[in-house]
PDB file of all heavy atoms in Angstrom:
ATOM      1  N   GLU N 196     -66.221   9.384  17.054  1.00  0.00           N
ATOM      2  CA  GLU N 196     -66.707   8.559  18.165  1.00  0.00           C
ATOM      3  C   GLU N 196     -65.961   8.907  19.455  1.00  0.00           C
ATOM      4  O   GLU N 196     -64.828   9.373  19.417  1.00  0.00           O
ATOM      5  CB  GLU N 196     -66.493   7.068  17.858  1.00  0.00           C
ATOM      6  CG  GLU N 196     -67.386   6.548  16.740  1.00  0.00           C
ATOM      7  CD  GLU N 196     -67.135   5.077  16.423  1.00  0.00           C
ATOM      8  OE1 GLU N 196     -66.275   4.451  17.061  1.00  0.00           O
ATOM      9  OE2 GLU N 196     -67.817   4.569  15.515  1.00  0.00           O
ATOM     10  N   LEU N 197     -66.626   8.662  20.564  1.00  0.00           N
ATOM     11  CA  LEU N 197     -65.985   8.838  21.871  1.00  0.00           C
ATOM     12  C   LEU N 197     -65.461   7.468  22.306  1.00  0.00           C
ATOM     13  O   LEU N 197     -66.222   6.502  22.343  1.00  0.00           O
ATOM     14  CB  LEU N 197     -67.001   9.364  22.897  1.00  0.00           C
ATOM     15  CG  LEU N 197     -67.780  10.611  22.481  1.00  0.00           C
ATOM     16  CD1 LEU N 197     -68.796  10.987  23.562  1.00  0.00           C
ATOM     17  CD2 LEU N 197     -66.838  11.779  22.229  1.00  0.00           C
ATOM     18  N   HIS N 198     -64.188   7.398  22.579  1.00  0.00           N
ATOM     19  CA  HIS N 198     -63.564   6.114  22.939  1.00  0.00           C
ATOM     20  C   HIS N 198     -62.851   6.199  24.282  1.00  0.00           C
ATOM     21  O   HIS N 198     -62.496   7.275  24.741  1.00  0.00           O
ATOM     22  CB  HIS N 198     -62.533   5.705  21.877  1.00  0.00           C
ATOM     23  CG  HIS N 198     -63.136   5.116  20.641  1.00  0.00           C
ATOM     24  ND1 HIS N 198     -62.388   4.472  19.697  1.00  0.00           N
ATOM     25  CD2 HIS N 198     -64.414   5.080  20.187  1.00  0.00           C
ATOM     26  CE1 HIS N 198     -63.170   4.050  18.710  1.00  0.00           C
ATOM     27  NE2 HIS N 198     -64.413   4.426  18.986  1.00  0.00           N
ATOM     28  N   ASN N 199     -62.623   5.021  24.826  1.00  0.00           N
ATOM     29  CA  ASN N 199     -61.799   4.939  26.039  1.00  0.00           C
ATOM     30  C   ASN N 199     -60.803   3.814  25.843  1.00  0.00           C
ATOM     31  O   ASN N 199     -61.089   2.822  25.184  1.00  0.00           O
ATOM     32  CB  ASN N 199     -62.679   4.651  27.257  1.00  0.00           C
ATOM     33  CG  ASN N 199     -61.943   4.886  28.557  1.00  0.00           C
ATOM     34  OD1 ASN N 199     -60.885   5.528  28.567  1.00  0.00           O
ATOM     35  ND2 ASN N 199     -62.471   4.386  29.645  1.00  0.00           N
ATOM     36  N   HIS N 200     -59.612   3.982  26.389  1.00  0.00           N
ATOM     37  CA  HIS N 200     -58.595   2.947  26.324  1.00  0.00           C
ATOM     38  C   HIS N 200     -58.303   2.515  27.750  1.00  0.00           C
ATOM     39  O   HIS N 200     -58.037   3.334  28.610  1.00  0.00           O
ATOM     40  CB  HIS N 200     -57.320   3.478  25.676  1.00  0.00           C
ATOM     41  CG  HIS N 200     -56.830   2.582  24.590  1.00  0.00           C
ATOM     42  ND1 HIS N 200     -56.293   3.060  23.427  1.00  0.00           N
ATOM     43  CD2 HIS N 200     -56.810   1.234  24.479  1.00  0.00           C
ATOM     44  CE1 HIS N 200     -55.964   2.041  22.646  1.00  0.00           C
ATOM     45  NE2 HIS N 200     -56.256   0.926  23.271  1.00  0.00           N
ATOM     46  N   VAL N 201     -58.371   1.231  27.990  1.00  0.00           N
ATOM     47  CA  VAL N 201     -58.080   0.718  29.323  1.00  0.00           C
ATOM     48  C   VAL N 201     -56.898  -0.234  29.215  1.00  0.00           C
ATOM     49  O   VAL N 201     -56.857  -1.073  28.319  1.00  0.00           O
ATOM     50  CB  VAL N 201     -59.306  -0.038  29.888  1.00  0.00           C
ATOM     51  CG1 VAL N 201     -59.038  -0.514  31.301  1.00  0.00           C
ATOM     52  CG2 VAL N 201     -60.536   0.851  29.862  1.00  0.00           C
ATOM     53  N   MET N 202     -55.934  -0.093  30.127  1.00  0.00           N
ATOM     54  CA  MET N 202     -54.803  -1.021  30.168  1.00  0.00           C
ATOM     55  C   MET N 202     -55.077  -2.022  31.281  1.00  0.00           C
ATOM     56  O   MET N 202     -55.287  -1.639  32.433  1.00  0.00           O
ATOM     57  CB  MET N 202     -53.504  -0.282  30.478  1.00  0.00           C
ATOM     58  CG  MET N 202     -52.975   0.558  29.343  1.00  0.00           C
ATOM     59  SD  MET N 202     -52.358  -0.391  27.953  1.00  0.00           S
ATOM     60  CE  MET N 202     -50.733  -0.789  28.538  1.00  0.00           C
ATOM     61  N   GLU N 203     -55.090  -3.305  30.924  1.00  0.00           N
ATOM     62  CA  GLU N 203     -55.330  -4.323  31.927  1.00  0.00           C
ATOM     63  C   GLU N 203     -54.252  -5.375  31.787  1.00  0.00           C
ATOM     64  O   GLU N 203     -54.157  -6.033  30.749  1.00  0.00           O
ATOM     65  CB  GLU N 203     -56.715  -4.930  31.719  1.00  0.00           C
ATOM     66  CG  GLU N 203     -57.408  -5.323  32.997  1.00  0.00           C
ATOM     67  CD  GLU N 203     -58.824  -5.784  32.724  1.00  0.00           C
ATOM     68  OE1 GLU N 203     -59.731  -4.941  32.715  1.00  0.00           O
ATOM     69  OE2 GLU N 203     -59.001  -6.979  32.488  1.00  0.00           O
ATOM     70  N   ASN N 204     -53.421  -5.558  32.815  1.00  0.00           N
ATOM     71  CA  ASN N 204     -52.291  -6.494  32.768  1.00  0.00           C
ATOM     72  C   ASN N 204     -51.442  -6.285  31.523  1.00  0.00           C
ATOM     73  O   ASN N 204     -51.012  -7.239  30.882  1.00  0.00           O
ATOM     74  CB  ASN N 204     -52.798  -7.941  32.796  1.00  0.00           C
ATOM     75  CG  ASN N 204     -53.343  -8.321  34.157  1.00  0.00           C
ATOM     76  OD1 ASN N 204     -52.851  -7.832  35.169  1.00  0.00           O
ATOM     77  ND2 ASN N 204     -54.355  -9.155  34.176  1.00  0.00           N
ATOM     78  N   GLY N 205     -51.234  -5.021  31.179  1.00  0.00           N
ATOM     79  CA  GLY N 205     -50.384  -4.719  30.031  1.00  0.00           C
ATOM     80  C   GLY N 205     -51.075  -4.864  28.690  1.00  0.00           C
ATOM     81  O   GLY N 205     -50.453  -4.717  27.653  1.00  0.00           O
ATOM     82  N   VAL N 206     -52.379  -5.174  28.712  1.00  0.00           N
ATOM     83  CA  VAL N 206     -53.114  -5.312  27.458  1.00  0.00           C
ATOM     84  C   VAL N 206     -53.978  -4.071  27.244  1.00  0.00           C
ATOM     85  O   VAL N 206     -54.779  -3.701  28.108  1.00  0.00           O
ATOM     86  CB  VAL N 206     -53.995  -6.579  27.454  1.00  0.00           C
ATOM     87  CG1 VAL N 206     -54.817  -6.659  26.174  1.00  0.00           C
ATOM     88  CG2 VAL N 206     -53.133  -7.823  27.607  1.00  0.00           C
ATOM     89  N   ALA N 207     -53.779  -3.428  26.089  1.00  0.00           N
ATOM     90  CA  ALA N 207     -54.549  -2.236  25.759  1.00  0.00           C
ATOM     91  C   ALA N 207     -55.876  -2.638  25.153  1.00  0.00           C
ATOM     92  O   ALA N 207     -55.923  -3.397  24.189  1.00  0.00           O
ATOM     93  CB  ALA N 207     -53.758  -1.382  24.770  1.00  0.00           C
ATOM     94  N   GLN N 208     -56.954  -2.143  25.718  1.00  0.00           N
ATOM     95  CA  GLN N 208     -58.292  -2.456  25.225  1.00  0.00           C
ATOM     96  C   GLN N 208     -59.048  -1.171  24.954  1.00  0.00           C
ATOM     97  O   GLN N 208     -59.298  -0.395  25.870  1.00  0.00           O
ATOM     98  CB  GLN N 208     -59.044  -3.295  26.259  1.00  0.00           C
ATOM     99  CG  GLN N 208     -58.338  -4.589  26.596  1.00  0.00           C
ATOM    100  CD  GLN N 208     -58.948  -5.286  27.796  1.00  0.00           C
ATOM    101  OE1 GLN N 208     -59.108  -4.701  28.852  1.00  0.00           O
ATOM    102  NE2 GLN N 208     -59.288  -6.541  27.623  1.00  0.00           N
ATOM    103  N   MET N 209     -59.406  -0.967  23.695  1.00  0.00           N
ATOM    104  CA  MET N 209     -60.125   0.258  23.332  1.00  0.00           C
ATOM    105  C   MET N 209     -61.602  -0.077  23.102  1.00  0.00           C
ATOM    106  O   MET N 209     -61.921  -1.054  22.460  1.00  0.00           O
ATOM    107  CB  MET N 209     -59.504   0.862  22.076  1.00  0.00           C
ATOM    108  CG  MET N 209     -60.151   2.152  21.640  1.00  0.00           C
ATOM    109  SD  MET N 209     -59.097   3.114  20.539  1.00  0.00           S
ATOM    110  CE  MET N 209     -59.145   2.125  19.048  1.00  0.00           C
ATOM    111  N   ARG N 210     -62.467   0.768  23.650  1.00  0.00           N
ATOM    112  CA  ARG N 210     -63.906   0.563  23.482  1.00  0.00           C
ATOM    113  C   ARG N 210     -64.580   1.919  23.286  1.00  0.00           C
ATOM    114  O   ARG N 210     -64.050   2.946  23.703  1.00  0.00           O
ATOM    115  CB  ARG N 210     -64.502  -0.097  24.727  1.00  0.00           C
ATOM    116  CG  ARG N 210     -63.985  -1.488  25.034  1.00  0.00           C
ATOM    117  CD  ARG N 210     -64.440  -2.542  24.024  1.00  0.00           C
ATOM    118  NE  ARG N 210     -63.955  -3.856  24.389  1.00  0.00           N
ATOM    119  CZ  ARG N 210     -62.781  -4.367  24.014  1.00  0.00           C
ATOM    120  NH1 ARG N 210     -61.960  -3.665  23.249  1.00  0.00           N
ATOM    121  NH2 ARG N 210     -62.406  -5.576  24.402  1.00  0.00           N
ATOM    122  N   SER N 211     -65.773   1.884  22.704  1.00  0.00           N
ATOM    123  CA  SER N 211     -66.501   3.138  22.558  1.00  0.00           C
ATOM    124  C   SER N 211     -67.260   3.439  23.850  1.00  0.00           C
ATOM    125  O   SER N 211     -67.605   2.529  24.593  1.00  0.00           O
ATOM    126  CB  SER N 211     -67.442   3.029  21.358  1.00  0.00           C
ATOM    127  OG  SER N 211     -68.760   2.940  21.771  1.00  0.00           O
ATOM    128  N   VAL N 212     -67.473   4.696  24.121  1.00  0.00           N
ATOM    129  CA  VAL N 212     -68.281   5.084  25.285  1.00  0.00           C
ATOM    130  C   VAL N 212     -69.466   5.914  24.782  1.00  0.00           C
ATOM    131  O   VAL N 212     -69.347   6.645  23.809  1.00  0.00           O
ATOM    132  CB  VAL N 212     -67.481   5.885  26.348  1.00  0.00           C
ATOM    133  CG1 VAL N 212     -66.463   5.005  27.030  1.00  0.00           C
ATOM    134  CG2 VAL N 212     -66.803   7.111  25.766  1.00  0.00           C
ATOM    135  N   ALA N 213     -70.612   5.758  25.441  1.00  0.00           N
ATOM    136  CA  ALA N 213     -71.837   6.420  24.981  1.00  0.00           C
ATOM    137  C   ALA N 213     -71.789   7.924  25.243  1.00  0.00           C
ATOM    138  O   ALA N 213     -72.235   8.720  24.431  1.00  0.00           O
ATOM    139  CB  ALA N 213     -73.039   5.800  25.665  1.00  0.00           C
ATOM    140  N   ALA N 214     -71.228   8.318  26.380  1.00  0.00           N
ATOM    141  CA  ALA N 214     -71.181   9.735  26.737  1.00  0.00           C
ATOM    142  C   ALA N 214     -70.083   9.940  27.767  1.00  0.00           C
ATOM    143  O   ALA N 214     -69.650   8.993  28.422  1.00  0.00           O
ATOM    144  CB  ALA N 214     -72.523  10.172  27.312  1.00  0.00           C
ATOM    145  N   ILE N 215     -69.615  11.179  27.896  1.00  0.00           N
ATOM    146  CA  ILE N 215     -68.603  11.497  28.908  1.00  0.00           C
ATOM    147  C   ILE N 215     -69.227  12.482  29.893  1.00  0.00           C
ATOM    148  O   ILE N 215     -69.500  13.633  29.540  1.00  0.00           O
ATOM    149  CB  ILE N 215     -67.327  12.066  28.259  1.00  0.00           C
ATOM    150  CG1 ILE N 215     -66.715  10.997  27.331  1.00  0.00           C
ATOM    151  CG2 ILE N 215     -66.326  12.518  29.317  1.00  0.00           C
ATOM    152  CD1 ILE N 215     -65.530  11.472  26.519  1.00  0.00           C
ATOM    153  N   PRO N 216     -69.543  12.036  31.116  1.00  0.00           N
ATOM    154  CA  PRO N 216     -70.187  12.919  32.086  1.00  0.00           C
ATOM    155  C   PRO N 216     -69.223  13.980  32.622  1.00  0.00           C
ATOM    156  O   PRO N 216     -68.021  13.728  32.759  1.00  0.00           O
ATOM    157  CB  PRO N 216     -70.630  11.978  33.209  1.00  0.00           C
ATOM    158  CG  PRO N 216     -69.997  10.664  32.938  1.00  0.00           C
ATOM    159  CD  PRO N 216     -69.271  10.710  31.641  1.00  0.00           C
ATOM    160  N   LEU N 217     -69.769  15.134  32.884  1.00  0.00           N
ATOM    161  CA  LEU N 217     -68.987  16.267  33.382  1.00  0.00           C
ATOM    162  C   LEU N 217     -69.642  16.813  34.646  1.00  0.00           C
ATOM    163  O   LEU N 217     -70.851  16.974  34.691  1.00  0.00           O
ATOM    164  CB  LEU N 217     -69.021  17.402  32.362  1.00  0.00           C
ATOM    165  CG  LEU N 217     -68.007  17.435  31.248  1.00  0.00           C
ATOM    166  CD1 LEU N 217     -68.273  18.655  30.383  1.00  0.00           C
ATOM    167  CD2 LEU N 217     -66.602  17.498  31.819  1.00  0.00           C
ATOM    168  N   VAL N 218     -68.828  17.098  35.657  1.00  0.00           N
ATOM    169  CA  VAL N 218     -69.329  17.703  36.888  1.00  0.00           C
ATOM    170  C   VAL N 218     -68.484  18.945  37.154  1.00  0.00           C
ATOM    171  O   VAL N 218     -67.255  18.901  36.994  1.00  0.00           O
ATOM    172  CB  VAL N 218     -69.216  16.725  38.084  1.00  0.00           C
ATOM    173  CG1 VAL N 218     -69.727  17.366  39.361  1.00  0.00           C
ATOM    174  CG2 VAL N 218     -69.976  15.439  37.792  1.00  0.00           C
ATOM    175  N   ALA N 219     -69.152  20.030  37.532  1.00  0.00           N
ATOM    176  CA  ALA N 219     -68.430  21.279  37.793  1.00  0.00           C
ATOM    177  C   ALA N 219     -67.333  21.052  38.823  1.00  0.00           C
ATOM    178  O   ALA N 219     -67.539  20.333  39.804  1.00  0.00           O
ATOM    179  CB  ALA N 219     -69.406  22.338  38.282  1.00  0.00           C
TER     180      ALA N 219
END
Side-chain angles (χ1 to χ4, degrees):
Chain N
E196 291 178 0
L197 308 177
H198 281 192
N199 194 15
H200 230 141
V201 183
M202 287 291 278
E203 214 174 271
N204 288 327
V206 177
Q208 302 169 307
M209 182 161 71
R210 297 291 182 271
S211 108
V212 291
I215 298 174
L217 273 180
V218 179

